[in-house]
């Protein structure tokens, strides 16, 4: 494997961290400052999520088929940046929906391509370790961007976040170009050996016949239906209450910094333990954390309650960021459909994440933020039940880790 390309891949993950999610939690803050209600903000976020669903599975299929993975990353970053800058200048309803739809479509292409490039550079043997590095750099990029964004918002207002994202996109593009195309083994990138013949078009029928993959997908749909709205709701509760000693934008940055700081060591830990404990145990541990996180968010409304909430978010996300792609690779190894399988999982995850803000936003607008957090906690428990019951009923024994 080429050291320079792997180093560049780490930098790509670092700089794309702030780009692929668009404004992230700052979207709610930005629109709240322009007098949007929680329910309308939730629907705009959902519009972007639904648009991403349209592109998610095709993005996985495309990653298995194409040799131009670097070009997809460059194009996706450009679209996200331009769409977000457009919202900065024109924060009305039509532009907001268009911006989030364009961002969702482009962002859906980035994760499967990054996974494919990683597999193409490392092969199966080095995949888990490199995914740990990828996630560590990704979380480090998010944390760095959040710190800079918090300071910039403090001095110049929420608009500074748009400038920061544009700068990160530029550096991400330079890092993508530093990855040598010749170092990427396109057969390995889709889970095949060098001499294996691959079908030009992956067959979805092969993927949907994998019960382990479907159990994982439904579980993660429920997980993200619960999880996706937690951080935006925390930030919006502070923005709506006007009782915090910190500006809402700085509060949002602090929530990101805390979780991302935790995710870095957790991702490296997950990568180091994946070959010994297996991916099933890591995923189960992450699922156990989310109901507790939602319960704390529901029970405590003070600004500092976000500290334990975001620490738990960092642990769960750090585990899943390494374990889920690794588990999919393990299930589909040798099929030539690994990135299509990743796309299916991302489709189901995205379905939950897309509905989550609208669900929580409408509950918060009609009842309260506390009740919204309580409902999200019940959904988190259902994810844990599906995971346990699904694996038990299928009679699935613990899979051997990748060798």
């Amino acid at each position: 494997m080429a050291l320079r390309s792997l180093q560049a891949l780490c930098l790509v993950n670092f700089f794309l961290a702030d780009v692929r999610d668009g404004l992230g939690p700052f979207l709610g803050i930005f629109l709240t400052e322009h007098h949007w209600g929680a329910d309308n903000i939730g629907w705009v976020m959902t519009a972007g999520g639904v648009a991403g669903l349209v592109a998610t599975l095709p993005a996985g299929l495309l990653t298995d088929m194409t040799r131009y993975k670097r070009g997809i990353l460059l194009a996706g970053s450009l679209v996200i940046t331009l769409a977000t800058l457009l919202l900065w200048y024109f924060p009305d309803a039509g532009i907001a929906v268009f911006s989030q739809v364009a961002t969702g479509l482009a962002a859906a292409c980035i994760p499967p391509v990054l996974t494919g490039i990683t597999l193409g550079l490392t092969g199966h043997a080095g995949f888990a370790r490199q995914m740990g590095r990828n996630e560590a750099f990704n979380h480090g990029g998010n944390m760095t961007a959040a710190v800079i964004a918090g300071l910039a918002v403090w001095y110049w207002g929420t608009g500074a976040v748009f400038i920061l994202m544009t700068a990160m996109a530029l550096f991400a593009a330079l890092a993508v170009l530093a990855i040598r195309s010749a170092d990427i083994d396109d057969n390995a990138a889709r889970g095949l050996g060098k001499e294996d013949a691959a079908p030009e078009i992956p067959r979805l029928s092969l993927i949907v016949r994998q019960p382990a993959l479907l159990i994982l997908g439904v579980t993660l749909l429920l997980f993200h239906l619960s999880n996706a709205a937690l951080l935006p709701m925390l930030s919006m509760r502070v923005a709506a209450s006007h009782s915090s000693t910190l500006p809402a934008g700085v509060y949002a940055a602090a929530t990101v910094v805390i979780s991302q700081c935790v995710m870095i060591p957790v991702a490296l830990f997950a990568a180091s333990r994946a070959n010994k404990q297996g991916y099933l145990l890591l995923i189960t541990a992450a699922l156990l954390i989310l109901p507790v996180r939602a319960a704390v968010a529901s029970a405590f409304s003070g600004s500092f309650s976000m500290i334990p909430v975001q620490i738990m978010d960092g642990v769960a996300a750090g585990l899943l960021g390494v374990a889920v792609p690794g588990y999919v690779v393990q299930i589909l190894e040798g099929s030539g459909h690994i990135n299509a399988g990743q796309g299916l999982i991302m489709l189901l995850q995205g379905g939950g994440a897309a509905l989550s803000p609208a669900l929580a936003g409408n509950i918060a607008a009609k009842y309260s933020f506390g009740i919204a957090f309580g409902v999200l906690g019940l959904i988190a428990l259902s994810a844990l039940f599906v995971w346990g019951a699904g694996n038990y009923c299928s009679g699935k024994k613990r899979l051997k880790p990748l060798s």
Side-chain angles (χ1 to χ4, degrees):
M1 63 186 79
L3 179 60
R4 170 185 152 175
S5 291
L6 289 175
Q7 291 172 335
L9 178 62
C10 290
L11 291 177
V12 169
N13 279 275
F14 181 90
F15 291 115
L16 275 183
D18 190 52
V19 178
R20 60 195 277 185
D21 295 329
L23 291 178
F26 291 99
L27 176 62
I29 301 299
F30 177 74
L31 294 179
T32 298
E33 291 176 349
H34 287 80
H35 312 294
W36 286 56
D39 52 347
N40 290 327
I41 294 173
W43 283 115
V44 167
M45 290 179 176
T46 295
V50 170
L53 293 181
V54 176
T56 298
L57 189 52
L61 295 169
L62 180 63
T63 302
D64 278 332
M65 295 166 58
T66 186
R67 296 180 179 273
Y68 302 102
K69 298 175 179 64
R70 299 187 309 159
I72 295 175
L73 290 182
L74 293 172
S77 300
L78 178 62
V79 170
I80 293 170
T81 303
L82 294 178
T84 305
L85 289 175
L86 185 65
L87 176 61
W88 186 18
Y89 285 100
F90 306 102
D92 55 61
I95 296 298
V97 171
F98 172 81
S99 172
Q100 291 309 294
V101 167
T103 297
L105 291 172
C109 298
I110 293 176
V113 173
L114 285 175
T115 301
I117 290 176
T118 303
L119 256 179
L121 290 174
T122 66
H124 292 171
F127 180 73
R129 184 176 298 276
Q130 184 59 39
M131 279 301 297
R133 294 193 187 101
N134 287 357
E135 288 297 303
F137 274 87
N138 176 270
H139 301 318
N142 268 319
M143 184 177 66
T144 302
V147 170
I148 297 173
L151 294 173
V153 167
W154 184 286
Y155 286 104
W156 296 297
T158 308
V161 178
F162 294 84
I163 298 174
L164 173 62
M165 200 189 83
T166 302
M168 294 286 276
L170 176 61
F171 286 115
L174 295 175
V176 169
L177 293 174
I179 299 175
R180 293 190 181 101
S181 180
D183 291 338
I184 303 173
D185 183 335
D186 290 298
N187 260 20
R190 61 185 301 179
L192 295 173
K194 289 182 178 294
E195 306 302 325
D196 291 337
E200 292 186 3
I201 301 177
R203 293 170 294 154
L204 292 178
S205 60
L206 186 148
I207 299 170
V208 298
R209 289 201 302 265
Q210 297 288 338
L213 197 67
L214 296 180
I215 292 168
L216 176 66
V218 173
T219 299
L220 292 177
L221 184 153
L222 293 170
F223 179 92
H224 286 278
L225 180 61
S226 170
N227 185 69
L230 273 171
L231 178 53
M233 288 296 115
L234 281 171
S235 299
M236 288 163 59
R237 182 169 63 181
V238 169
S241 69
H242 304 292
S243 60
S244 175
T245 56
L246 292 175
V250 176
Y251 178 89
T255 63
V256 175
V257 170
I258 291 172
S259 60
Q260 298 297 326
C261 186
V262 174
M263 288 177 199
I264 295 172
V266 172
L268 293 173
F269 169 81
S272 69
R273 305 306 296 180
N275 288 334
K276 297 179 180 179
Q277 267 68 45
Y279 296 115
L280 287 174
L281 182 61
L282 297 177
I283 294 171
T284 302
L287 294 175
L288 287 168
I289 292 169
L290 183 56
V292 179
R293 181 180 177 231
V296 173
S298 176
F300 302 99
S301 60
S303 299
F304 291 103
S305 65
M306 63 93 169
I307 295 177
V309 169
Q310 290 308 97
I311 288 175
M312 287 185 282
D313 178 52
V315 175
L319 293 174
L320 290 178
V322 174
V324 170
Y327 188 48
V328 174
V329 168
Q330 189 169 347
I331 294 170
L332 297 176
E333 182 176 0
S335 69
H337 293 67
I338 282 179
N339 296 294
Q342 301 281 2
L344 176 62
I345 294 300
M346 291 172 192
L347 172 64
L348 294 171
Q349 288 182 154
L355 293 173
S356 184
L359 173 66
N362 279 276
I363 293 174
K366 188 173 183 179
Y367 299 103
S368 69
F369 283 103
I371 291 177
F373 287 129
V375 171
L376 296 179
L378 291 175
I379 297 172
L381 287 174
S382 71
L384 184 61
F385 173 79
V386 168
W387 177 249
N391 282 292
Y392 176 80
C393 292
S394 68
K396 185 171 185 61
K397 296 180 181 179
R398 186 172 173 179
L399 292 175
K400 294 181 180 179
L402 289 174
S403 58

